[in-house]
Amino acid sequence: NAGVTQTPKFQVLKTGQSMTLQCAQDMNHEYMSWYRQDPGMGLRLIHYSVGAGITDQGEVPNGYNVSRSTTEDFPLRLLSAAPSQTSVYFCASSYTLPGQGIHEQYFGPGTRLTVT
Amino acid sequence: KNEVEQSPQNLTAQEGEFITINCSYSVGISALHWLQQHPGGGIVSLFMLSSGKKKHGRLIATINIQEKHSSLHITASHPRDSAVYICAGSMRGAQKLVFGQGTRLTINP
């Protein structure tokens, strides 16, 4: 199994450009999520999905869109990049147990994004 | 108000020392996750526990549900254990984790 894969590893954008960060998992996990990690801020949830066709907002969703057309893929779209979106982005997947919330999370390697 | 609080924020120790990182959490969190992140690296899940204790090699995680407290212990610490350790709470019935701020651990040879 490849686990959780993310592309690209690094990206530089100019303000106003759009792009899509790709995330895929081959573990048949129903739960997938996107986080951003900024110095001194810890991990913050951007969007998450509990299954194909279902997405919801996390703590910091503004400026980002997601879709979940398949169980495997969960792309994150930046609509119009801003310098405040400079960050490291992690995708994660997990399965859930009824009434117990999220089980062990598997993280992708991260995408380091710089917006100038 | 942060629902998951970690301490200490930074910890420096000598190789071989016994390490303890603490995590306190609020009502509503049903399980605790411990994650490890090496400098410039990805994030690895070490443990998920909702009761008792789990052990993997030199790492031990415990949780006290009554006191809403969890600890991560490292025995015979080694420089390769230098990393940021993050605890995160899983909310019962909610599909998200609440993260602590992380503990930066440095083990000197």
Side-chain angles (χ1 to χ4, degrees), chain A residues 22-60:
Chain A
Q22 301 291 344
C23 174
Q25 53 95 5
D26 60 359
M27 297 171 282
N28 203 33
H29 287 162
E30 69 270 22
Y31 180 87
M32 296 186 74
S33 54
W34 276 102
Y35 300 94
R36 59 178 290 174
Q37 186 179 41
D38 303 296
M41 297 291 290
L43 285 160
R44 292 186 291 169
L45 181 65
I46 304 171
H47 285 284
Y48 65 98
S49 168
V50 299
I54 306 169
T55 63
D56 207 344
Q57 295 182 348
E59 187 185 348
V60 287

PDB file of all heavy atoms in Angstrom, chain A residues 22-60:
ATOM      1  N   GLN A  22      -3.210  17.793  -4.551  1.00  0.00           N
ATOM      2  CA  GLN A  22      -3.793  16.466  -4.704  1.00  0.00           C
ATOM      3  C   GLN A  22      -3.528  15.606  -3.476  1.00  0.00           C
ATOM      4  O   GLN A  22      -2.461  15.688  -2.854  1.00  0.00           O
ATOM      5  CB  GLN A  22      -3.228  15.763  -5.942  1.00  0.00           C
ATOM      6  CG  GLN A  22      -3.452  16.496  -7.257  1.00  0.00           C
ATOM      7  CD  GLN A  22      -4.927  16.505  -7.653  1.00  0.00           C
ATOM      8  OE1 GLN A  22      -5.759  15.756  -7.140  1.00  0.00           O
ATOM      9  NE2 GLN A  22      -5.263  17.397  -8.586  1.00  0.00           N
ATOM     10  N   CYS A  23      -4.496  14.776  -3.125  1.00  0.00           N
ATOM     11  CA  CYS A  23      -4.344  13.828  -2.023  1.00  0.00           C
ATOM     12  C   CYS A  23      -5.059  12.548  -2.411  1.00  0.00           C
ATOM     13  O   CYS A  23      -6.209  12.589  -2.873  1.00  0.00           O
ATOM     14  CB  CYS A  23      -4.936  14.378  -0.740  1.00  0.00           C
ATOM     15  SG  CYS A  23      -4.925  13.182   0.625  1.00  0.00           S
ATOM     16  N   ALA A  24      -4.405  11.417  -2.215  1.00  0.00           N
ATOM     17  CA  ALA A  24      -5.020  10.126  -2.503  1.00  0.00           C
ATOM     18  C   ALA A  24      -4.610   9.118  -1.443  1.00  0.00           C
ATOM     19  O   ALA A  24      -3.504   9.186  -0.901  1.00  0.00           O
ATOM     20  CB  ALA A  24      -4.607   9.640  -3.891  1.00  0.00           C
ATOM     21  N   GLN A  25      -5.519   8.185  -1.155  1.00  0.00           N
ATOM     22  CA  GLN A  25      -5.197   7.103  -0.215  1.00  0.00           C
ATOM     23  C   GLN A  25      -5.736   5.789  -0.766  1.00  0.00           C
ATOM     24  O   GLN A  25      -6.760   5.764  -1.459  1.00  0.00           O
ATOM     25  CB  GLN A  25      -5.765   7.397   1.180  1.00  0.00           C
ATOM     26  CG  GLN A  25      -7.240   7.728   1.224  1.00  0.00           C
ATOM     27  CD  GLN A  25      -8.155   6.569   1.512  1.00  0.00           C
ATOM     28  OE1 GLN A  25      -7.708   5.451   1.795  1.00  0.00           O
ATOM     29  NE2 GLN A  25      -9.465   6.811   1.430  1.00  0.00           N
ATOM     30  N   ASP A  26      -5.030   4.721  -0.453  1.00  0.00           N
ATOM     31  CA  ASP A  26      -5.404   3.401  -0.997  1.00  0.00           C
ATOM     32  C   ASP A  26      -5.783   2.431   0.123  1.00  0.00           C
ATOM     33  O   ASP A  26      -5.653   1.211  -0.029  1.00  0.00           O
ATOM     34  CB  ASP A  26      -4.267   2.844  -1.857  1.00  0.00           C
ATOM     35  CG  ASP A  26      -2.970   2.650  -1.086  1.00  0.00           C
ATOM     36  OD1 ASP A  26      -2.938   2.971   0.119  1.00  0.00           O
ATOM     37  OD2 ASP A  26      -1.983   2.194  -1.696  1.00  0.00           O
ATOM     38  N   MET A  27      -6.232   2.956   1.240  1.00  0.00           N
ATOM     39  CA  MET A  27      -6.582   2.120   2.394  1.00  0.00           C
ATOM     40  C   MET A  27      -8.098   1.992   2.573  1.00  0.00           C
ATOM     41  O   MET A  27      -8.560   1.442   3.562  1.00  0.00           O
ATOM     42  CB  MET A  27      -5.944   2.716   3.658  1.00  0.00           C
ATOM     43  CG  MET A  27      -4.420   2.707   3.591  1.00  0.00           C
ATOM     44  SD  MET A  27      -3.636   3.615   4.939  1.00  0.00           S
ATOM     45  CE  MET A  27      -3.861   5.300   4.381  1.00  0.00           C
ATOM     46  N   ASN A  28      -8.856   2.525   1.620  1.00  0.00           N
ATOM     47  CA  ASN A  28     -10.311   2.463   1.675  1.00  0.00           C
ATOM     48  C   ASN A  28     -10.875   3.152   2.922  1.00  0.00           C
ATOM     49  O   ASN A  28     -11.918   2.743   3.449  1.00  0.00           O
ATOM     50  CB  ASN A  28     -10.806   1.012   1.596  1.00  0.00           C
ATOM     51  CG  ASN A  28     -12.233   0.929   1.098  1.00  0.00           C
ATOM     52  OD1 ASN A  28     -12.672   1.744   0.287  1.00  0.00           O
ATOM     53  ND2 ASN A  28     -12.976  -0.037   1.593  1.00  0.00           N
ATOM     54  N   HIS A  29     -10.176   4.191   3.380  1.00  0.00           N
ATOM     55  CA  HIS A  29     -10.666   4.933   4.544  1.00  0.00           C
ATOM     56  C   HIS A  29     -11.808   5.848   4.127  1.00  0.00           C
ATOM     57  O   HIS A  29     -11.728   6.525   3.097  1.00  0.00           O
ATOM     58  CB  HIS A  29      -9.547   5.776   5.146  1.00  0.00           C
ATOM     59  CG  HIS A  29      -8.539   4.966   5.882  1.00  0.00           C
ATOM     60  ND1 HIS A  29      -7.277   5.454   6.184  1.00  0.00           N
ATOM     61  CD2 HIS A  29      -8.593   3.718   6.396  1.00  0.00           C
ATOM     62  CE1 HIS A  29      -6.605   4.530   6.865  1.00  0.00           C
ATOM     63  NE2 HIS A  29      -7.382   3.463   6.985  1.00  0.00           N
ATOM     64  N   GLU A  30     -12.838   5.898   4.956  1.00  0.00           N
ATOM     65  CA  GLU A  30     -13.952   6.784   4.617  1.00  0.00           C
ATOM     66  C   GLU A  30     -13.676   8.230   5.028  1.00  0.00           C
ATOM     67  O   GLU A  30     -14.216   9.164   4.453  1.00  0.00           O
ATOM     68  CB  GLU A  30     -15.272   6.301   5.258  1.00  0.00           C
ATOM     69  CG  GLU A  30     -15.348   6.422   6.767  1.00  0.00           C
ATOM     70  CD  GLU A  30     -14.851   5.185   7.490  1.00  0.00           C
ATOM     71  OE1 GLU A  30     -14.073   4.405   6.894  1.00  0.00           O
ATOM     72  OE2 GLU A  30     -15.240   5.007   8.665  1.00  0.00           O
ATOM     73  N   TYR A  31     -12.843   8.426   6.026  1.00  0.00           N
ATOM     74  CA  TYR A  31     -12.594   9.775   6.535  1.00  0.00           C
ATOM     75  C   TYR A  31     -11.301  10.336   5.950  1.00  0.00           C
ATOM     76  O   TYR A  31     -10.254   9.690   6.011  1.00  0.00           O
ATOM     77  CB  TYR A  31     -12.511   9.748   8.059  1.00  0.00           C
ATOM     78  CG  TYR A  31     -12.265  11.096   8.691  1.00  0.00           C
ATOM     79  CD1 TYR A  31     -13.342  11.930   9.004  1.00  0.00           C
ATOM     80  CD2 TYR A  31     -10.981  11.554   8.968  1.00  0.00           C
ATOM     81  CE1 TYR A  31     -13.135  13.182   9.584  1.00  0.00           C
ATOM     82  CE2 TYR A  31     -10.764  12.789   9.532  1.00  0.00           C
ATOM     83  CZ  TYR A  31     -11.845  13.588   9.843  1.00  0.00           C
ATOM     84  OH  TYR A  31     -11.645  14.828  10.404  1.00  0.00           O
ATOM     85  N   MET A  32     -11.375  11.556   5.387  1.00  0.00           N
ATOM     86  CA  MET A  32     -10.186  12.255   4.917  1.00  0.00           C
ATOM     87  C   MET A  32     -10.267  13.708   5.336  1.00  0.00           C
ATOM     88  O   MET A  32     -11.372  14.257   5.498  1.00  0.00           O
ATOM     89  CB  MET A  32     -10.045  12.147   3.391  1.00  0.00           C
ATOM     90  CG  MET A  32      -9.834  10.724   2.899  1.00  0.00           C
ATOM     91  SD  MET A  32      -9.513  10.610   1.135  1.00  0.00           S
ATOM     92  CE  MET A  32      -7.814  11.210   1.035  1.00  0.00           C
ATOM     93  N   SER A  33      -9.097  14.314   5.520  1.00  0.00           N
ATOM     94  CA  SER A  33      -9.079  15.687   6.013  1.00  0.00           C
ATOM     95  C   SER A  33      -7.858  16.423   5.482  1.00  0.00           C
ATOM     96  O   SER A  33      -6.870  15.802   5.083  1.00  0.00           O
ATOM     97  CB  SER A  33      -9.085  15.696   7.547  1.00  0.00           C
ATOM     98  OG  SER A  33      -8.023  14.909   8.052  1.00  0.00           O
ATOM     99  N   TRP A  34      -7.964  17.740   5.476  1.00  0.00           N
ATOM    100  CA  TRP A  34      -6.861  18.619   5.133  1.00  0.00           C
ATOM    101  C   TRP A  34      -6.553  19.519   6.329  1.00  0.00           C
ATOM    102  O   TRP A  34      -7.470  20.111   6.928  1.00  0.00           O
ATOM    103  CB  TRP A  34      -7.206  19.495   3.931  1.00  0.00           C
ATOM    104  CG  TRP A  34      -6.994  18.853   2.611  1.00  0.00           C
ATOM    105  CD1 TRP A  34      -7.934  18.312   1.787  1.00  0.00           C
ATOM    106  CD2 TRP A  34      -5.735  18.697   1.938  1.00  0.00           C
ATOM    107  NE1 TRP A  34      -7.349  17.817   0.652  1.00  0.00           N
ATOM    108  CE2 TRP A  34      -5.997  18.055   0.708  1.00  0.00           C
ATOM    109  CE3 TRP A  34      -4.412  19.045   2.234  1.00  0.00           C
ATOM    110  CZ2 TRP A  34      -4.998  17.732  -0.209  1.00  0.00           C
ATOM    111  CZ3 TRP A  34      -3.420  18.732   1.334  1.00  0.00           C
ATOM    112  CH2 TRP A  34      -3.712  18.087   0.128  1.00  0.00           C
ATOM    113  N   TYR A  35      -5.243  19.636   6.616  1.00  0.00           N
ATOM    114  CA  TYR A  35      -4.782  20.515   7.681  1.00  0.00           C
ATOM    115  C   TYR A  35      -3.736  21.469   7.113  1.00  0.00           C
ATOM    116  O   TYR A  35      -3.045  21.139   6.154  1.00  0.00           O
ATOM    117  CB  TYR A  35      -4.109  19.721   8.804  1.00  0.00           C
ATOM    118  CG  TYR A  35      -4.986  18.701   9.487  1.00  0.00           C
ATOM    119  CD1 TYR A  35      -4.995  17.373   9.078  1.00  0.00           C
ATOM    120  CD2 TYR A  35      -5.790  19.064  10.567  1.00  0.00           C
ATOM    121  CE1 TYR A  35      -5.787  16.433   9.722  1.00  0.00           C
ATOM    122  CE2 TYR A  35      -6.585  18.130  11.212  1.00  0.00           C
ATOM    123  CZ  TYR A  35      -6.576  16.816  10.774  1.00  0.00           C
ATOM    124  OH  TYR A  35      -7.361  15.882  11.417  1.00  0.00           O
ATOM    125  N   ARG A  36      -3.614  22.603   7.758  1.00  0.00           N
ATOM    126  CA  ARG A  36      -2.477  23.445   7.505  1.00  0.00           C
ATOM    127  C   ARG A  36      -1.685  23.593   8.800  1.00  0.00           C
ATOM    128  O   ARG A  36      -2.262  23.561   9.902  1.00  0.00           O
ATOM    129  CB  ARG A  36      -2.866  24.812   6.934  1.00  0.00           C
ATOM    130  CG  ARG A  36      -3.781  25.651   7.769  1.00  0.00           C
ATOM    131  CD  ARG A  36      -4.057  27.006   7.102  1.00  0.00           C
ATOM    132  NE  ARG A  36      -2.872  27.870   7.119  1.00  0.00           N
ATOM    133  CZ  ARG A  36      -2.805  29.047   6.508  1.00  0.00           C
ATOM    134  NH1 ARG A  36      -3.844  29.519   5.839  1.00  0.00           N
ATOM    135  NH2 ARG A  36      -1.712  29.776   6.576  1.00  0.00           N
ATOM    136  N   GLN A  37      -0.377  23.725   8.640  1.00  0.00           N
ATOM    137  CA  GLN A  37       0.490  23.843   9.811  1.00  0.00           C
ATOM    138  C   GLN A  37       1.359  25.069   9.657  1.00  0.00           C
ATOM    139  O   GLN A  37       2.149  25.177   8.726  1.00  0.00           O
ATOM    140  CB  GLN A  37       1.372  22.604   9.967  1.00  0.00           C
ATOM    141  CG  GLN A  37       2.186  22.603  11.252  1.00  0.00           C
ATOM    142  CD  GLN A  37       3.027  21.351  11.405  1.00  0.00           C
ATOM    143  OE1 GLN A  37       3.630  20.864  10.452  1.00  0.00           O
ATOM    144  NE2 GLN A  37       3.073  20.801  12.621  1.00  0.00           N
ATOM    145  N   ASP A  38       1.182  26.002  10.569  1.00  0.00           N
ATOM    146  CA  ASP A  38       1.951  27.240  10.568  1.00  0.00           C
ATOM    147  C   ASP A  38       2.784  27.312  11.837  1.00  0.00           C
ATOM    148  O   ASP A  38       2.358  26.798  12.883  1.00  0.00           O
ATOM    149  CB  ASP A  38       1.009  28.446  10.500  1.00  0.00           C
ATOM    150  CG  ASP A  38       0.103  28.380   9.293  1.00  0.00           C
ATOM    151  OD1 ASP A  38       0.650  28.436   8.175  1.00  0.00           O
ATOM    152  OD2 ASP A  38      -1.122  28.259   9.457  1.00  0.00           O
ATOM    153  N   PRO A  39       3.951  27.955  11.786  1.00  0.00           N
ATOM    154  CA  PRO A  39       4.807  28.050  12.983  1.00  0.00           C
ATOM    155  C   PRO A  39       4.041  28.635  14.164  1.00  0.00           C
ATOM    156  O   PRO A  39       3.387  29.673  14.035  1.00  0.00           O
ATOM    157  CB  PRO A  39       5.935  28.986  12.515  1.00  0.00           C
ATOM    158  CG  PRO A  39       5.974  28.838  11.037  1.00  0.00           C
ATOM    159  CD  PRO A  39       4.552  28.620  10.614  1.00  0.00           C
ATOM    160  N   GLY A  40       4.108  27.946  15.298  1.00  0.00           N
ATOM    161  CA  GLY A  40       3.474  28.445  16.517  1.00  0.00           C
ATOM    162  C   GLY A  40       1.974  28.273  16.572  1.00  0.00           C
ATOM    163  O   GLY A  40       1.343  28.665  17.555  1.00  0.00           O
ATOM    164  N   MET A  41       1.379  27.707  15.509  1.00  0.00           N
ATOM    165  CA  MET A  41      -0.092  27.601  15.471  1.00  0.00           C
ATOM    166  C   MET A  41      -0.577  26.162  15.614  1.00  0.00           C
ATOM    167  O   MET A  41      -1.730  25.923  15.815  1.00  0.00           O
ATOM    168  CB  MET A  41      -0.627  28.163  14.158  1.00  0.00           C
ATOM    169  CG  MET A  41      -0.371  29.621  13.941  1.00  0.00           C
ATOM    170  SD  MET A  41      -1.317  30.637  15.062  1.00  0.00           S
ATOM    171  CE  MET A  41      -2.967  30.393  14.446  1.00  0.00           C
ATOM    172  N   GLY A  42       0.289  25.209  15.444  1.00  0.00           N
ATOM    173  CA  GLY A  42      -0.158  23.829  15.465  1.00  0.00           C
ATOM    174  C   GLY A  42      -0.924  23.485  14.194  1.00  0.00           C
ATOM    175  O   GLY A  42      -0.987  24.264  13.245  1.00  0.00           O
ATOM    176  N   LEU A  43      -1.526  22.337  14.184  1.00  0.00           N
ATOM    177  CA  LEU A  43      -2.300  21.875  13.030  1.00  0.00           C
ATOM    178  C   LEU A  43      -3.725  22.419  13.114  1.00  0.00           C
ATOM    179  O   LEU A  43      -4.359  22.337  14.168  1.00  0.00           O
ATOM    180  CB  LEU A  43      -2.347  20.342  13.003  1.00  0.00           C
ATOM    181  CG  LEU A  43      -1.064  19.650  12.563  1.00  0.00           C
ATOM    182  CD1 LEU A  43      -1.041  18.212  13.034  1.00  0.00           C
ATOM    183  CD2 LEU A  43      -0.926  19.712  11.058  1.00  0.00           C
ATOM    184  N   ARG A  44      -4.209  22.932  12.014  1.00  0.00           N
ATOM    185  CA  ARG A  44      -5.584  23.443  11.972  1.00  0.00           C
ATOM    186  C   ARG A  44      -6.341  22.788  10.825  1.00  0.00           C
ATOM    187  O   ARG A  44      -5.825  22.695   9.715  1.00  0.00           O
ATOM    188  CB  ARG A  44      -5.580  24.968  11.816  1.00  0.00           C
ATOM    189  CG  ARG A  44      -5.045  25.689  13.043  1.00  0.00           C
ATOM    190  CD  ARG A  44      -5.185  27.196  12.905  1.00  0.00           C
ATOM    191  NE  ARG A  44      -4.279  27.731  11.878  1.00  0.00           N
ATOM    192  CZ  ARG A  44      -4.341  28.966  11.413  1.00  0.00           C
ATOM    193  NH1 ARG A  44      -5.250  29.800  11.877  1.00  0.00           N
ATOM    194  NH2 ARG A  44      -3.481  29.387  10.511  1.00  0.00           N
ATOM    195  N   LEU A  45      -7.554  22.379  11.108  1.00  0.00           N
ATOM    196  CA  LEU A  45      -8.368  21.653  10.145  1.00  0.00           C
ATOM    197  C   LEU A  45      -8.993  22.627   9.149  1.00  0.00           C
ATOM    198  O   LEU A  45      -9.648  23.599   9.527  1.00  0.00           O
ATOM    199  CB  LEU A  45      -9.465  20.886  10.884  1.00  0.00           C
ATOM    200  CG  LEU A  45     -10.420  20.048  10.068  1.00  0.00           C
ATOM    201  CD1 LEU A  45      -9.678  18.896   9.384  1.00  0.00           C
ATOM    202  CD2 LEU A  45     -11.534  19.498  10.951  1.00  0.00           C
ATOM    203  N   ILE A  46      -8.817  22.320   7.853  1.00  0.00           N
ATOM    204  CA  ILE A  46      -9.369  23.187   6.806  1.00  0.00           C
ATOM    205  C   ILE A  46     -10.733  22.655   6.359  1.00  0.00           C
ATOM    206  O   ILE A  46     -11.753  23.341   6.450  1.00  0.00           O
ATOM    207  CB  ILE A  46      -8.425  23.251   5.591  1.00  0.00           C
ATOM    208  CG1 ILE A  46      -7.031  23.715   6.009  1.00  0.00           C
ATOM    209  CG2 ILE A  46      -8.996  24.206   4.534  1.00  0.00           C
ATOM    210  CD1 ILE A  46      -5.986  23.595   4.910  1.00  0.00           C
ATOM    211  N   HIS A  47     -10.753  21.443   5.844  1.00  0.00           N
ATOM    212  CA  HIS A  47     -11.979  20.761   5.419  1.00  0.00           C
ATOM    213  C   HIS A  47     -11.824  19.276   5.709  1.00  0.00           C
ATOM    214  O   HIS A  47     -10.709  18.781   5.822  1.00  0.00           O
ATOM    215  CB  HIS A  47     -12.225  20.927   3.913  1.00  0.00           C
ATOM    216  CG  HIS A  47     -12.711  22.269   3.481  1.00  0.00           C
ATOM    217  ND1 HIS A  47     -14.018  22.690   3.676  1.00  0.00           N
ATOM    218  CD2 HIS A  47     -12.073  23.277   2.847  1.00  0.00           C
ATOM    219  CE1 HIS A  47     -14.153  23.910   3.172  1.00  0.00           C
ATOM    220  NE2 HIS A  47     -12.998  24.291   2.669  1.00  0.00           N
ATOM    221  N   TYR A  48     -12.943  18.599   5.810  1.00  0.00           N
ATOM    222  CA  TYR A  48     -12.882  17.164   5.988  1.00  0.00           C
ATOM    223  C   TYR A  48     -14.043  16.495   5.264  1.00  0.00           C
ATOM    224  O   TYR A  48     -15.000  17.162   4.832  1.00  0.00           O
ATOM    225  CB  TYR A  48     -12.866  16.767   7.471  1.00  0.00           C
ATOM    226  CG  TYR A  48     -14.119  17.119   8.241  1.00  0.00           C
ATOM    227  CD1 TYR A  48     -15.115  16.175   8.471  1.00  0.00           C
ATOM    228  CD2 TYR A  48     -14.304  18.398   8.762  1.00  0.00           C
ATOM    229  CE1 TYR A  48     -16.257  16.489   9.188  1.00  0.00           C
ATOM    230  CE2 TYR A  48     -15.439  18.719   9.485  1.00  0.00           C
ATOM    231  CZ  TYR A  48     -16.405  17.776   9.700  1.00  0.00           C
ATOM    232  OH  TYR A  48     -17.541  18.079  10.413  1.00  0.00           O
ATOM    233  N   SER A  49     -13.942  15.177   5.119  1.00  0.00           N
ATOM    234  CA  SER A  49     -14.966  14.415   4.416  1.00  0.00           C
ATOM    235  C   SER A  49     -15.153  13.077   5.125  1.00  0.00           C
ATOM    236  O   SER A  49     -14.176  12.411   5.480  1.00  0.00           O
ATOM    237  CB  SER A  49     -14.531  14.174   2.969  1.00  0.00           C
ATOM    238  OG  SER A  49     -15.364  13.203   2.352  1.00  0.00           O
ATOM    239  N   VAL A  50     -16.392  12.697   5.324  1.00  0.00           N
ATOM    240  CA  VAL A  50     -16.675  11.424   5.982  1.00  0.00           C
ATOM    241  C   VAL A  50     -17.056  10.342   4.977  1.00  0.00           C
ATOM    242  O   VAL A  50     -17.415   9.233   5.363  1.00  0.00           O
ATOM    243  CB  VAL A  50     -17.770  11.569   7.055  1.00  0.00           C
ATOM    244  CG1 VAL A  50     -17.314  12.543   8.138  1.00  0.00           C
ATOM    245  CG2 VAL A  50     -19.083  12.028   6.459  1.00  0.00           C
ATOM    246  N   GLY A  51     -16.976  10.659   3.701  1.00  0.00           N
ATOM    247  CA  GLY A  51     -17.248   9.664   2.674  1.00  0.00           C
ATOM    248  C   GLY A  51     -17.428  10.339   1.335  1.00  0.00           C
ATOM    249  O   GLY A  51     -17.567  11.569   1.260  1.00  0.00           O
ATOM    250  N   ALA A  52     -17.430   9.556   0.285  1.00  0.00           N
ATOM    251  CA  ALA A  52     -17.602  10.100  -1.067  1.00  0.00           C
ATOM    252  C   ALA A  52     -18.893  10.910  -1.140  1.00  0.00           C
ATOM    253  O   ALA A  52     -19.952  10.461  -0.675  1.00  0.00           O
ATOM    254  CB  ALA A  52     -17.609   8.976  -2.088  1.00  0.00           C
ATOM    255  N   GLY A  53     -18.779  12.107  -1.690  1.00  0.00           N
ATOM    256  CA  GLY A  53     -19.925  12.994  -1.853  1.00  0.00           C
ATOM    257  C   GLY A  53     -20.271  13.835  -0.642  1.00  0.00           C
ATOM    258  O   GLY A  53     -21.198  14.648  -0.690  1.00  0.00           O
ATOM    259  N   ILE A  54     -19.516  13.674   0.451  1.00  0.00           N
ATOM    260  CA  ILE A  54     -19.823  14.402   1.697  1.00  0.00           C
ATOM    261  C   ILE A  54     -18.586  15.168   2.145  1.00  0.00           C
ATOM    262  O   ILE A  54     -17.523  14.561   2.372  1.00  0.00           O
ATOM    263  CB  ILE A  54     -20.233  13.439   2.828  1.00  0.00           C
ATOM    264  CG1 ILE A  54     -21.384  12.531   2.378  1.00  0.00           C
ATOM    265  CG2 ILE A  54     -20.631  14.226   4.074  1.00  0.00           C
ATOM    266  CD1 ILE A  54     -21.655  11.398   3.331  1.00  0.00           C
ATOM    267  N   THR A  55     -18.709  16.480   2.248  1.00  0.00           N
ATOM    268  CA  THR A  55     -17.606  17.292   2.767  1.00  0.00           C
ATOM    269  C   THR A  55     -18.150  18.290   3.778  1.00  0.00           C
ATOM    270  O   THR A  55     -19.353  18.606   3.769  1.00  0.00           O
ATOM    271  CB  THR A  55     -16.867  18.059   1.650  1.00  0.00           C
ATOM    272  OG1 THR A  55     -17.771  18.981   1.031  1.00  0.00           O
ATOM    273  CG2 THR A  55     -16.309  17.109   0.603  1.00  0.00           C
ATOM    274  N   ASP A  56     -17.272  18.790   4.624  1.00  0.00           N
ATOM    275  CA  ASP A  56     -17.693  19.786   5.615  1.00  0.00           C
ATOM    276  C   ASP A  56     -16.506  20.673   5.953  1.00  0.00           C
ATOM    277  O   ASP A  56     -15.344  20.307   5.715  1.00  0.00           O
ATOM    278  CB  ASP A  56     -18.229  19.115   6.877  1.00  0.00           C
ATOM    279  CG  ASP A  56     -19.239  19.998   7.607  1.00  0.00           C
ATOM    280  OD1 ASP A  56     -19.295  21.219   7.313  1.00  0.00           O
ATOM    281  OD2 ASP A  56     -19.953  19.474   8.480  1.00  0.00           O
ATOM    282  N   GLN A  57     -16.833  21.848   6.498  1.00  0.00           N
ATOM    283  CA  GLN A  57     -15.800  22.819   6.820  1.00  0.00           C
ATOM    284  C   GLN A  57     -15.168  22.517   8.163  1.00  0.00           C
ATOM    285  O   GLN A  57     -15.821  22.043   9.088  1.00  0.00           O
ATOM    286  CB  GLN A  57     -16.407  24.215   6.846  1.00  0.00           C
ATOM    287  CG  GLN A  57     -16.925  24.684   5.510  1.00  0.00           C
ATOM    288  CD  GLN A  57     -17.485  26.097   5.585  1.00  0.00           C
ATOM    289  OE1 GLN A  57     -17.694  26.646   6.663  1.00  0.00           O
ATOM    290  NE2 GLN A  57     -17.739  26.687   4.427  1.00  0.00           N
ATOM    291  N   GLY A  58     -13.884  22.847   8.249  1.00  0.00           N
ATOM    292  CA  GLY A  58     -13.186  22.748   9.515  1.00  0.00           C
ATOM    293  C   GLY A  58     -13.046  24.109  10.145  1.00  0.00           C
ATOM    294  O   GLY A  58     -13.919  24.967  10.017  1.00  0.00           O
ATOM    295  N   GLU A  59     -11.914  24.322  10.778  1.00  0.00           N
ATOM    296  CA  GLU A  59     -11.657  25.541  11.544  1.00  0.00           C
ATOM    297  C   GLU A  59     -11.318  26.737  10.652  1.00  0.00           C
ATOM    298  O   GLU A  59     -11.687  27.870  10.957  1.00  0.00           O
ATOM    299  CB  GLU A  59     -10.502  25.247  12.498  1.00  0.00           C
ATOM    300  CG  GLU A  59     -10.164  26.297  13.507  1.00  0.00           C
ATOM    301  CD  GLU A  59      -8.922  25.910  14.306  1.00  0.00           C
ATOM    302  OE1 GLU A  59      -8.483  24.742  14.219  1.00  0.00           O
ATOM    303  OE2 GLU A  59      -8.377  26.780  14.998  1.00  0.00           O
ATOM    304  N   VAL A  60     -10.600  26.497   9.550  1.00  0.00           N
ATOM    305  CA  VAL A  60     -10.111  27.600   8.719  1.00  0.00           C
ATOM    306  C   VAL A  60     -10.423  27.336   7.243  1.00  0.00           C
ATOM    307  O   VAL A  60      -9.521  27.167   6.420  1.00  0.00           O
ATOM    308  CB  VAL A  60      -8.593  27.844   8.927  1.00  0.00           C
ATOM    309  CG1 VAL A  60      -8.326  28.480  10.268  1.00  0.00           C
ATOM    310  CG2 VAL A  60      -7.812  26.517   8.803  1.00  0.00           C
TER     311      VAL A  60
END
